[in-house]
Amino acid sequence: MSSDSTSFSESSRRAFGQIIHLSMRNFWHFTREQGLSMAQIIALRQLYHQGEAGGCSVSHIGERLGVTNAAVSQSLDKLVHQGLVERKENPHDRRSKQISLTLEGEKMLKKSMRVQRSWIDELSTKLSVEEQAQIESAFRLLSQKINEME
Amino acid sequence: MSSDSTSFSESSRRAFGQIIHLSMRNFWHFTREQGLSMAQIIALRQLYHQGEAGGCSVSHIGERLGVTNAAVSQSLDKLVHQGLVERKENPHDRRSKQISLTLEGEKMLKKSMRVQRSWIDELSTKLSVEEQAQIESAFRLLSQKINEME
DNA sequence: TTGAATAATTAAGCAGGCTTATATATTAAG
DNA sequence: CTTAATATATAAGCCTGCTTAATTATTCAA
């Protein structure tokens, strides 16, 4: 059970909020530029981050986004049409579909992430080598712990 | 000009992507629960983060969101009705309005940020004291640099 | 073998968010 | 003092994204 002594300090929380805020602002603009909805791009990122070789099902995407399967299906129509995802039949269960990113979709996702972190890439040029190492180290630790959580 | 030697490594970038990804997923659900649109809540966060005592103008909000002033005005109607923001006349220019968060709005924003970072709060319970200090230190450094950028 | 359950799709309708056009009030410039 | 520019608000219309309901195909359970 988490107690105050094991949680981050208020200043760290504020810093975290700033990080998210800056990233989301960039992300918001990118999403609008791409003519995608938030639900769509969040779905794409789910596909990207979980990286399942077998793709993801329509109902799984719906669960993650909190929308109906009908909404997912309609959204996927647009993404397939744009060449960002593909729908395949699930060989183990022909009722089900396997949704995965295309190479084009991966490229777009990677671009969205570059845009999203552009502010911190710029900020990194203003850091000393030690400061940069410190931040790198903390990020690696976080990533390791995130991977352990999943 | 940034060269490769001053940018973060690929693993740090990946970690950063994971951080944003986890936070956005929580945020997305919170936003839908609150019955707000993404544009609205991003606008609210702008108001919160810049913390201007004099509030923010309609056209400034529109610039930041990339939408027309008409859209901002209509969006604000709903937020005012929900008690999350207030519109005041700008005493220095009666054409202009000063938009600011209400206490209620601040509370909601703070809650959204708690939700957003809930995953890292949970993760922090799995860190040693040294690991936690390391991450805190990196966050503080980032925050300091962000503040210097702005 | 039959009926129930599941996965996905499609159509219709609704609600919300945006834009454009117009109007009003105010400030700035000449 | 007059005209131009600016800031905001409102109305109308369009588009998008969602839900519900119905349907089809497939798998599961009895």
Side-chain angles (χ1 to χ4, degrees), chain B residues 25-95:
Chain B
R25 199 165 69 185
N26 290 347
F27 183 66
W28 165 256
H29 285 290
F30 177 83
T31 300
R32 285 175 60 86
E33 274 174 27
Q34 294 296 305
L36 294 170
S37 69
M38 267 298 182
Q40 283 170 330
I41 204 159
I42 291 176
L44 291 175
R45 292 172 73 109
Q46 297 280 16
L47 294 173
Y48 181 81
H49 279 283
Q50 73 188 29
E52 283 175 22
C56 194
S57 70
V58 169
S59 45
H60 195 45
I61 294 173
E63 278 168 28
R64 295 290 189 84
L65 287 178
V67 299
T68 63
N69 292 347
V72 176
S73 189
Q74 287 155 13
S75 254
L76 288 176
D77 279 347
K78 180 177 179 180
L79 297 174
V80 168
H81 189 263
Q82 286 179 316
L84 300 177
V85 304
E86 62 182 349
R87 270 183 175 112
K88 281 177 182 164
E89 196 172 271
N90 181 348
H92 305 302
D93 186 342
R94 289 199 305 281
R95 294 172 294 178

Side-chain angles (χ1 to χ4, degrees), chain A residues 1-25 27-29 32 38-39 41-42 45-46 49-50 63-67 113 116-117 119-128 130-147 149-150, chain B residues 1-25 27-29 32 38-39 41-42 45-46 49-50 63-67 113 116-117 119-128 130-147 149-150:
Chain A
M1 179 66 66
S2 172
S3 67
D4 281 358
S5 60
T6 60
S7 300
F8 290 120
S9 66
E10 182 56 30
S11 62
S12 292
R13 290 171 175 169
R14 192 176 301 119
F16 186 75
Q18 282 174 305
I19 292 165
I20 303 302
H21 174 64
L22 288 165
S23 302
M24 277 183 51
R25 201 165 67 185
F27 184 66
W28 165 255
H29 286 290
R32 283 174 61 85
M38 267 296 182
I41 203 159
I42 289 175
R45 294 172 70 112
Q46 296 282 16
H49 279 284
Q50 74 189 29
E63 277 167 28
R64 296 290 190 86
L65 287 178
V67 298
M113 290 186 277
Q116 185 157 37
R117 65 171 192 258
W119 67 271
I120 198 169
D121 286 338
E122 183 191 335
L123 184 146
S124 77
T125 65
K126 298 176 167 70
L127 300 174
S128 71
E130 284 131 340
E131 291 174 331
Q132 193 158 324
Q134 182 186 353
I135 292 179
E136 291 246 9
S137 182
F139 275 163
R140 271 200 280 276
L141 172 58
L142 275 175
S143 180
Q144 175 198 326
K145 295 294 179 180
I146 289 168
N147 291 337
M149 268 172 61
E150 288 172 351
Chain B
M1 181 64 64
S2 171
S3 66
D4 280 359
S5 62
T6 59
S7 300
F8 290 120
S9 67
E10 183 55 30
S11 62
S12 291
R13 289 172 176 170
R14 192 176 300 120
F16 186 75
Q18 283 174 301
I19 291 166
I20 303 303
H21 175 65
L22 288 165
S23 303
M24 276 184 50
R25 199 165 69 185
F27 183 66
W28 165 256
H29 285 290
R32 285 175 60 86
M38 267 298 182
I41 204 159
I42 291 176
R45 292 172 73 109
Q46 297 280 16
H49 279 283
Q50 73 188 29
E63 278 168 28
R64 295 290 189 84
L65 287 178
V67 299
M113 290 185 278
Q116 185 157 36
R117 66 170 190 260
W119 67 271
I120 197 170
D121 285 340
E122 182 189 335
L123 183 145
S124 76
T125 66
K126 297 175 168 69
L127 300 174
S128 70
E130 284 128 343
E131 290 173 332
Q132 193 159 324
Q134 181 186 355
I135 291 177
E136 290 246 11
S137 183
F139 275 163
R140 271 200 278 277
L141 172 58
L142 275 176
S143 181
Q144 177 197 325
K145 294 295 179 179
I146 288 168
N147 291 336
M149 269 173 60
E150 289 172 350

